[in-house]
Amino acid sequence: MISKGGSEALLQALTTTARTEPPDHSTLLPLLRLLARVGQRDRKFGLKVQKAEATDIILGLARRNLGHHLHLIHCLWVLRVCASNVTTGTTLGVNGAMELVFKVITPYSKRHIRTVRAAIEALAALLKSKSNSRRAVKRGFLGGLLRLYQDWHHNDVSNNYIYIRRGLLLCLKHITNIQLGRETFLCSRGMEILFTSVQDCLSCKNLDPITNTVTQILRKCYPKESLPVVTVRSSYFFPLPGNVKAEPPCEGSEGDYESDGEEEAEKDLDDEDVESKEEDYDLETDVNKLRSRPVPDRPEEELGQYEAMCLELSYNFQELESESEEEKSSEDRAESLPSTPSHFFPNATSVKHPNYRWRNQSVTEMGPDPGEKDLKVPLQSWTKKEECRWDAADEKRDAVEAAQDADCCEEEDPARSHTHTLRPLPKEAAWYKKIFYPECEASINPSPGGRLESSDTVTNLLEKHQGAIPFHSPHFYIARAKRVKSIPDYKDLAFPDFWGHQPPPYSKPMVERKYGIQRDKVLDDVRRLIQPGNVIGRTVFDSDEASHSSPGAPGCLTFFSKFESGNLRKAIQVREFEYDLIMNADVNSNQHNQWFYFEVRDMKLAVPYRFNIINCEKFNSQFNYGMQLVMYSVKEALQGRPCWLRAGHDICYYKNHYRCSAASEEGTRGRCYYTLTFSITFPHKDDVCYLAYHYPYTYSTMMSHLDVLEQNRNPKKVYWRQQTLCQTLGGNPCPLLTITAMPDSKKRGDLEQFCHFDNRPYVFLMARVHPGESNASWVMKGTLEFLVSGDPIADLLRKCFIFKIVPMLNPDGVINGNHRCSLSGDDLNRQWLAPNSQLHPTIYHAKGLLYYLRSIGRAPLVFCDYHGHSQKKNVFVYGCSIKETLWQAGCTVDTAVITEDVGYRTLPKILDKVAPAFVMNSCSFLVEKSRESTARVVVWKEMGVLRSYTMESTYCGCSHGVYKGLQLGTQELEEMGSKFCLGLLILHLKSLPCSKKMMAQAAQLLDLEEEITDHRAQRSASNSSLETDDEPPCVEEIDYNTDSCSDGEGDFSELDQEIQECLSWMEGETEDEGVTTGQTCSSKALRGLYISSQPTSNSTALPLHSTALGVYSGFESSLA
Ligand SMILES: [Zn+2]
């Protein structure tokens, strides 16, 4: 009907009918009903009404029928529908519609309920226009509405008129969309009135429409405040080299900005006027841009320096075998590593290789369990030999490299290295006695607040450590941590990083969101405003002021975070067991807060503590979808359970009332903050616990992990070279690894045909460009451990590829507790188009190395950058495809002209099958303009790497596969890293169709015959399920500034029902306000509110006019 011009025809009929005198109501009323029903479905209705010049007619009709309720109701419906177009609503407002409607709304009364309801709903629609809202405030309607609401709330004890109450709230909600409205609301004690009234409604689920609307209004009107910090800029400043501008502009692409400043400009936009914006506006649709290869960002001559990073290409096997040990780049070796007694290494039985389970599943037919064999060999028998060789090599090298080492070895300054201490352990003497030798007690239990010298504590602790944690050595950790250069100059070690973490034996399911949790927390926040006397408001930790860093007042928690990756800035005790926490912004930046890592102690037992991190910045979080943070208890660790565990309850994430004030912070106008709130019940009294956004993985963890790997590899089989890609801005080495197979000179079978370095394609892997994405490091850990393992598949893999790996592209960011940026305050994954050699050295040189490989015809077969994704579940990749991008953008370019190798899809498809956490359907191969300077797009375009990926791992868990419903642990992340390697092998085997024998061999080894041979099966399998993995809208609105339809205002069925009910009443029932029973919250009350279920005795149909007149006589007087 709408598409055939129905609305226009009805409006035309209305103007004609309304002009006839006297009006023919038998035509007019059905016409108005039709208009109301059609109009609400016609997105262009407002425009049509104005075109037909019908606004005056409708207003005039309403005015004339003020004394005739039945007619009036019809007019009000149409008014409401017209007003839902903001422009039309504004016109109506100018012509006095609000005054007219407001007169009809009465205090609590059982009479004329239908009319009152229709009037309130029409008013709510009119108030969507900001100029109407302004006019309403000036006329004093806001106070009137509050009083009306109070009156209805008090008198409607049986909850029979929920729609009326909610209608009044909707009026308040719209009116407070403008600044003036909010101010007037506050002056009229609106916060107290609504907060107090809503307390009666919380226990009744049926009153949710009321409670939710009240909560929205309270959140919106809560006075905006700046964060309680001197400046939102980072506590740390790093002077940048050269003449570079010290404060690069921060691009807040991910931030959330409030439109408050502009709202007064009176831009009421209508949905119908805005062309529905294409979701894909970001896609690159310029074919030439997609296809062209940009000129290199540096002269060819510069690439020569990278030859030294590809020494594997310039030696033959024999030379390599003898020389490889001496080629270790000296600055990457931890000189200060202690001689390593074997008991620091995991012993054979304690090691649980991350791939243990998988290997058992897939290669049991291989005879003696290769896993077992693998586990026994490396850890003890190799180390001895290694050490000997190293010692011999040391002397030769020392002289040559002393000079070279000089500028990166200041840390050998004894004063500096001796100040490193482990954080004090839980104080509880009796408890220590059980764990440590009595004689150690004195040194372990120091005077309160005192720090321990690392040597004693560590020695004592290590005697108990037993080396139970695979691939982790506390000794190596300390040695590495000493050499780290941090801006705050860390002197403390966080216990978990030093001691190590063992994955728990089980995975934890995602947590079910507690009903109404956000509402409860928000109301708790509002209570601070209403009852300020109950707020403690004591700063108990402040990294900007040293005086606050000591233990807090008795009975309150003690916080600390001045250690690698720690970033707590301030803690304020709000109530006895509640703390507001503020995280430090990224160095040289004033934003990017999301990551957190800090220590807390002095807790009581069995008390839930509530923590609110009040300066988060992302607009949504997996914390709203089942994710928990992680916690590590030192007491648990010392009792043999050294685990980061998912913890926290009553978790939710929502927009709060803090704003980055426009005046004080240049370029960050009106940025909004979000609160992550969670409660923790600590496992022990007076424990030392660590809380983090995700499983921490520090720079020292990575460096010491490389030390352990290097020591534990089989040097006969594993070619391993650790070099320094470059020094970071902060002066820390960024390691570059080369891993491939050592040649087996004795026997050269079929498998070895492919083993010449000349033939092996490169695979280039990177991780942790974004410091807050520690999940990426755990995936990388899995990849590295697999690649150097004795697993036969790893063996094969090393023979197939040369791996170039940069395990941590942003060491400074990781060290200093950043979430997103490097010390320059830049997002390094937005610098690939033109990295600055001074400001972005790791990117500059990683790209240089890739240029070099391309220049010698050895561009990598696969490039993958490991990341973490905070909004999605599962693990997936982003790749690049011209065709898919053009298709998705709906581009008219003849895509048949463009030929594109679809090989970029093969690896993700394989991973979908072999890696339990990986989901093909979550992958995307679109090239976005906003991503043009990411590693993935630049490597694809400039290096011509077809398989160039960003691999995103969830922080949360999986929605598919065997891990469905579970939160991922480090074990699953590491498994992903090893399965990625397996995927590479299968990819490679698929590309070698000629070698049937090798395929068969590999297939047998992998028990994966189908995977390798059956292409078609795979293709159809991955296309079969077309689910999307985007999160559904959150049950509770995280934001509150948008006028969404979730409150039911835009629901067609509601008005339809209202009209239908009125009709049935007209046809047979009198309006005796049929709430006959006083049932609280009955579904009937919700549905119809006032429709009598029993036909009354005088239900015979009367002529319309007389019925209405009879019922409504005397209405005029009630208006007075
Ligand atoms: Zn990232």
Side-chain angles (χ1 to χ4, degrees):
M1 181 163 171
I2 292 165
S3 66
K4 300 256 188 261
S7 303
E8 288 90 337
L10 288 171
L11 285 164
Q12 185 58 48
L14 178 73
T15 41
T16 315
T17 317
R19 280 186 190 126
T20 53
E21 279 297 339
D24 176 8
H25 284 101
S26 61
T27 312
L28 208 48
L29 294 188
L31 191 54
L32 289 168
R33 285 197 297 272
L34 259 173
L35 271 169
R37 289 186 156 179
V38 173
Q40 61 179 325
R41 289 168 171 84
D42 184 352
R43 282 168 50 86
K44 304 268 182 194
F45 191 65
L47 285 178
K48 291 173 185 172
V49 169
Q50 288 190 305
K51 222 174 192 175
E53 291 170 347
T55 47
D56 284 349
I57 289 164
I58 295 159
L59 262 183
L61 269 179
R63 229 172 241 128
R64 269 164 57 188
N65 287 297
L66 267 177
H68 193 300
H69 280 245
L70 183 64
H71 297 178
L72 183 59
I73 289 177
H74 281 74
C75 297
L76 290 170
W77 288 334
V78 177
L79 253 182
R80 171 185 165 182
V81 171
C82 293
S84 56
N85 169 277
V86 177
T87 319
T88 315
T90 307
T91 313
L92 286 166
V94 170
N95 294 320
M98 286 190 300
E99 290 79 357
L100 174 79
V101 168
F102 198 69
K103 266 196 256 177
V104 183
I105 303 169
T106 63
Y108 177 79
S109 159
K110 290 188 180 178
R111 304 198 64 209
H112 313 310
I113 287 289
R114 287 170 207 276
T115 324
V116 174
R117 177 183 178 182
I120 290 175
E121 285 166 350
L123 182 60
L126 284 162
L127 289 171
K128 283 181 181 171
S129 144
K130 284 173 182 164
S131 65
N132 282 352
S133 281
R134 200 162 300 117
R135 180 175 291 109
V137 176
K138 285 178 180 154
R139 304 247 161 148
F141 287 3
L142 199 152
L145 285 167
L146 268 173
R147 282 191 296 279
L148 282 168
Y149 177 74
Q150 261 181 308
D151 186 59
W152 282 92
H153 175 79
H154 285 308
N155 290 297
D156 182 24
V157 281
S158 307
N159 296 325
N160 290 317
Y161 305 116
I162 295 174
Y163 273 162
I164 299 259
R165 287 155 67 188
R166 200 202 51 165
L168 289 166
L169 289 172
L170 289 179
C171 292
L172 287 168
K173 183 181 150 187
H174 295 318
I175 227 171
T176 49
N177 274 342
I178 59 165
Q179 181 78 25
L180 180 66
R182 291 192 290 273
E183 285 164 7
T184 313
F185 179 81
L186 289 172
C187 292
S188 318
R189 292 182 52 253
M191 295 293 281
E192 289 91 326
I193 291 170
L194 293 194
F195 180 80
T196 315
S197 71
V198 83
Q199 303 301 322
D200 309 335
C201 306
L202 293 175
S203 55
C204 181
K205 222 173 171 173
N206 284 335
L207 294 176
D208 274 359
I210 287 179
T211 323
N212 292 341
T213 315
V214 166
T215 314
Q216 280 183 330
I217 298 169
L218 291 176
R219 291 176 76 186
K220 188 162 55 182
C221 296
Y222 200 116
K224 303 293 173 279
E225 281 182 76
S226 300
L227 283 174
V229 283
V230 195
T231 166
V232 295
R233 288 203 71 82
S234 174
S235 308
Y236 308 142
F237 173 72
F238 181 78
L240 296 176
N243 292 325
V244 183
K245 199 160 68 105
E247 295 180 17
C250 293
E251 276 164 47
S253 55
E254 291 189 73
D256 184 359
Y257 296 87
E258 194 164 57
S259 53
D260 256 12
E262 289 138 48
E263 76 172 16
E264 305 300 323
E266 188 58 56
K267 286 251 166 92
D268 283 325
L269 283 179
D270 282 313
D271 289 353
E272 66 189 53
D273 300 335
V274 185
E275 279 304 307
S276 61
K277 227 176 181 181
E278 268 294 304
E279 212 186 314
D280 303 322
Y281 65 94
D282 188 28
L283 292 181
E284 181 60 76
T285 50
D286 183 335
V287 185
N288 290 328
K289 273 195 168 179
L290 285 168
R291 298 177 80 179
S292 70
R293 178 174 292 186
V295 285
D297 63 15
R298 64 196 85 190
E300 186 90 29
E301 309 87 79
E302 255 194 51
L303 302 183
Q305 61 178 304
Y306 300 105
E307 195 181 339
M309 291 181 191
C310 300
L311 292 180
E312 65 278 3
L313 294 176
S314 44
Y315 290 86
N316 69 31
F317 296 130
Q318 277 69 31
E319 285 170 46
L320 267 170
E321 205 161 5
S322 57
E323 286 182 27
S324 62
E325 295 305 322
E326 295 174 35
E327 282 160 6
K328 288 187 190 74
S329 169
S330 67
E331 69 263 49
D332 300 315
R333 291 239 344 253
E335 313 279 322
S336 48
L337 290 184
S339 60
T340 48
S342 57
H343 74 267
F344 292 140
F345 289 101
N347 58 38
T349 48
S350 70
V351 173
K352 281 274 188 292
H353 192 279
N355 307 299
Y356 187 70
R357 195 176 32 184
W358 168 74
R359 252 199 312 272
N360 275 351
Q361 284 166 1
S362 55
V363 287
T364 37
E365 72 279 8
M366 291 296 291
D369 183 1
E372 274 299 318
K373 198 176 73 197
D374 172 34
L375 297 172
K376 278 177 198 142
V377 185
L379 298 170
Q380 279 164 343
S381 57
W382 297 356
T383 46
K384 287 278 149 59
K385 274 188 268 171
E386 275 280 89
E387 279 169 46
C388 295
R389 273 191 230 156
W390 272 25
D391 293 341
D394 273 349
E395 283 182 62
K396 263 198 278 174
R397 209 180 38 233
D398 275 351
V400 186
E401 285 161 353
Q404 195 181 328
D405 282 358
D407 50 38
C408 60
C409 290
E410 297 136 89
E411 62 278 359
E412 285 178 11
D413 169 11
R416 181 173 167 146
S417 53
H418 281 282
T419 53
H420 259 78
T421 55
L422 188 65
R423 297 285 301 145
L425 296 169
K427 43 187 176 205
E428 201 175 83
W431 175 77
Y432 277 118
K433 278 180 191 156
K434 277 187 272 175
I435 303 237
F436 298 105
Y437 303 111
E439 61 265 29
C440 301
E441 203 184 320
S443 69
I444 278 174
N445 208 356
S447 55
R451 295 281 158 77
L452 295 168
E453 271 308 306
S454 61
S455 51
D456 293 345
T457 324
V458 169
T459 313
N460 294 333
L461 278 173
L462 288 179
E463 292 197 26
K464 288 285 155 193
H465 194 273
Q466 315 263 333
I469 294 164
F471 296 99
H472 178 78
S473 153
H475 269 243
F476 283 13
Y477 189 86
I478 290 187
R480 283 300 183 177
K482 275 182 190 170
R483 313 179 72 191
V484 165
K485 288 177 185 162
S486 62
I487 294 177
D489 194 18
Y490 298 127
K491 293 183 170 61
D492 291 87
L493 302 176
F495 187 90
D497 303 319
F498 156 79
W499 192 255
H501 149 83
Q502 219 169 23
Y506 56 89
S507 304
K508 216 171 164 189
M510 293 176 210
V511 290
E512 188 117 348
R513 188 181 171 97
K514 200 162 140 188
Y515 182 80
I517 177 72
Q518 177 184 293
R519 185 177 78 193
D520 295 350
K521 299 295 176 188
V522 165
L523 290 175
D524 245 9
D525 292 348
V526 173
R527 196 185 301 275
R528 299 188 196 182
L529 189 76
I530 310 281
Q531 300 159 354
N534 296 341
V535 175
I536 299 174
R538 173 171 51 196
T539 301
V540 296
F541 173 83
D542 188 342
S543 68
D544 296 331
E545 286 183 55
S547 58
H548 282 298
S549 300
S550 51
C556 91
L557 296 174
T558 306
F559 293 86
F560 188 80
S561 83
K562 205 173 166 187
F563 44 74
E564 254 188 84
S565 296
N567 67 341
L568 180 64
R569 180 173 201 170
K570 194 168 185 176
I572 302 164
Q573 186 178 22
V574 181
R575 299 181 179 100
E576 190 180 1
F577 300 110
E578 181 177 348
Y579 294 84
D580 279 356
L581 308 176
I582 297 174
M583 296 302 139
N584 193 18
D586 283 8
V587 178
N588 281 14
S589 156
N590 56 16
Q591 52 178 10
H592 304 298
N593 305 293
Q594 204 74 17
W595 167 258
F596 60 87
Y597 184 19
F598 58 90
E599 177 199 280
V600 59
R601 55 176 71 213
D602 298 328
M603 61 284 287
K604 292 185 170 136
L605 188 62
V607 183
Y609 286 88
R610 179 180 167 190
F611 298 95
N612 312 301
I613 296 181
I614 59 173
N615 64 336
C616 299
E617 289 183 29
K618 296 222 168 180
F619 62 86
N620 199 350
S621 165
Q622 281 290 323
F623 283 120
N624 277 330
Y625 302 96
M627 181 167 91
Q628 293 174 290
L629 58 150
V630 295
M631 177 176 75
Y632 188 105
S633 151
V634 173
K635 283 194 178 182
E636 284 288 302
L638 293 174
Q639 288 171 17
R641 293 178 292 278
C643 304
W644 280 105
L645 294 176
R646 296 278 186 174
H649 51 96
D650 288 6
I651 301 174
C652 70
Y653 186 94
Y654 56 90
K655 188 185 260 189
N656 62 34
H657 71 285
Y658 289 106
R659 295 291 175 274
C660 190
S661 60
S664 62
E665 303 298 335
E666 197 187 332
T668 53
R669 181 202 298 222
R671 187 147 38 92
C672 302
Y673 291 110
Y674 294 78
T675 291
L676 163 66
T677 182
F678 55 89
S679 295
I680 295 262
T681 308
F682 294 101
H684 299 281
K685 183 175 171 288
D686 289 327
D687 195 358
V688 176
C689 288
Y690 292 81
L691 302 177
Y693 182 54
H694 195 70
Y695 309 97
Y697 193 94
T698 66
Y699 174 70
S700 297
T701 304
M702 186 266 297
M703 292 302 277
S704 54
H705 183 231
L706 298 184
D707 293 336
V708 174
L709 284 178
E710 170 150 20
Q711 293 234 341
N712 289 330
R713 80 201 156 92
N714 180 344
K716 287 214 169 73
K717 290 191 157 181
V718 184
Y719 174 89
W720 162 286
R721 180 203 304 272
Q722 182 178 335
Q723 288 170 291
T724 295
L725 179 68
C726 61
Q727 296 284 321
T728 65
L729 272 181
N732 295 293
C734 175
L736 166 73
L737 302 171
T738 307
I739 300 172
T740 187
M742 290 296 272
D744 189 344
S745 46
K746 283 162 207 147
K747 44 176 183 173
R748 290 213 173 180
D750 285 325
L751 285 172
E752 276 72 30
Q753 279 178 21
F754 303 95
C755 298
H756 296 278
F757 286 178
D758 289 348
N759 296 337
R760 293 179 196 173
Y762 275 91
V763 169
F764 204 110
L765 306 176
M766 313 190 305
R768 211 70 189 282
V769 69
H770 293 143
E773 294 165 3
S774 60
N775 34 7
S777 276
W778 290 96
V779 177
M780 181 54 86
K781 181 175 189 278
T783 294
L784 290 172
E785 279 168 21
F786 186 76
L787 281 182
V788 301
S789 72
D791 191 294
I793 289 168
D795 215 31
L796 200 53
L797 200 55
R798 288 189 298 263
K799 288 172 180 166
C800 293
F801 297 109
I802 303 174
F803 290 89
K804 286 283 178 203
I805 301 177
V806 185
M808 194 175 277
L809 260 176
N810 188 355
D812 293 341
V814 173
I815 291 166
N816 294 294
N818 283 6
H819 177 69
R820 185 99 184 157
C821 299
S822 70
L823 290 190
S824 64
D826 293 317
D827 179 344
L828 291 181
N829 203 30
R830 294 292 183 280
Q831 310 301 331
W832 279 77
L833 270 181
N836 179 304
S837 62
Q838 286 204 7
L839 284 180
H840 322 116
T842 60
I843 306 304
Y844 185 83
H845 293 291
K847 191 177 177 186
L849 178 56
L850 283 157
Y851 268 136
Y852 173 73
L853 289 174
R854 194 195 70 175
S855 74
I856 57 168
R858 302 292 294 255
L861 180 79
V862 174
F863 170 87
C864 189
D865 188 12
Y866 293 3
H867 282 251
H869 201 294
S870 69
Q871 312 277 345
K872 291 187 170 179
K873 296 201 163 67
N874 311 311
V875 182
F876 53 94
V877 296
Y878 293 125
C880 302
S881 158
I882 297 177
K883 280 198 172 180
E884 293 196 30
T885 304
L886 294 176
W887 282 332
Q888 184 68 31
C891 240
T892 49
V893 180
D894 182 10
T895 50
V897 177
I898 302 161
T899 51
E900 185 173 57
D901 185 342
V902 293
Y904 63 87
R905 276 187 161 261
T906 317
L907 180 60
K909 277 186 195 166
I910 294 168
L911 291 175
D912 186 65
K913 289 203 137 194
V914 300
F918 193 93
V919 175
M920 179 68 182
N921 282 321
S922 303
C923 298
S924 161
F925 303 94
L926 307 177
V927 183
E928 305 91 341
K929 287 179 202 156
S930 61
R931 301 285 190 277
E932 66 170 2
S933 200
T934 61
R936 160 181 63 106
V937 175
V938 169
V939 171
W940 169 72
K941 209 190 271 182
E942 296 193 29
M943 313 298 162
V945 176
L946 174 71
R947 297 172 187 85
S948 176
Y949 306 106
T950 297
M951 184 158 77
E952 300 275 4
S953 301
T954 179
Y955 287 92
C956 181
C958 290
S959 60
H960 290 72
V962 294
Y963 298 144
K964 185 175 178 175
L966 297 177
Q967 298 183 78
L968 289 193
T970 54
Q971 190 161 355
E972 290 77 24
L973 292 167
E974 290 185 46
E975 178 196 60
M976 184 62 233
S978 61
K979 292 298 165 86
F980 183 84
C981 298
L982 175 61
L984 287 173
L985 181 66
I986 297 171
L987 174 78
H988 187 63
L989 298 183
K990 275 172 171 259
S991 71
L992 299 171
C994 47
S995 173
K996 288 261 163 61
K997 195 172 171 188
M998 182 165 171
M999 288 273 275
Q1001 214 176 333
Q1004 194 196 8
L1005 195 64
L1006 299 169
D1007 193 20
L1008 283 168
E1009 196 151 4
E1010 285 170 60
E1011 310 286 338
I1012 295 171
T1013 51
D1014 193 356
H1015 290 244
R1016 269 170 306 172
Q1018 248 187 42
R1019 208 157 281 156
S1020 60
S1022 57
N1023 288 342
S1024 61
S1025 53
L1026 290 166
E1027 305 161 60
T1028 61
D1029 65 333
D1030 283 338
E1031 300 295 355
C1034 200
V1035 205
E1036 296 181 272
E1037 289 205 43
I1038 297 142
D1039 205 340
Y1040 50 82
N1041 290 335
T1042 49
D1043 269 325
S1044 68
C1045 292
S1046 66
D1047 46 21
E1049 285 173 89
D1051 193 357
F1052 297 153
S1053 62
E1054 208 180 285
L1055 181 57
D1056 285 349
Q1057 198 182 354
E1058 215 175 319
I1059 294 170
Q1060 193 56 48
E1061 281 160 359
C1062 192
L1063 266 179
S1064 62
W1065 162 72
M1066 279 163 55
E1067 281 160 12
E1069 299 165 17
T1070 55
E1071 185 180 23
D1072 65 344
E1073 321 300 355
V1075 188
T1076 46
T1077 55
Q1079 291 166 313
T1080 312
C1081 307
S1082 69
S1083 59
K1084 191 190 74 189
L1086 271 172
R1087 195 181 63 245
L1089 295 178
Y1090 41 76
I1091 291 299
S1092 170
S1093 52
Q1094 305 290 321
T1096 47
S1097 53
N1098 55 343
S1099 62
T1100 38
L1102 293 171
L1104 239 125
H1105 291 257
S1106 58
T1107 317
L1109 286 171
V1111 173
Y1112 289 114
S1113 60
F1115 179 73
E1116 279 295 15
S1117 60
S1118 77
L1119 288 174

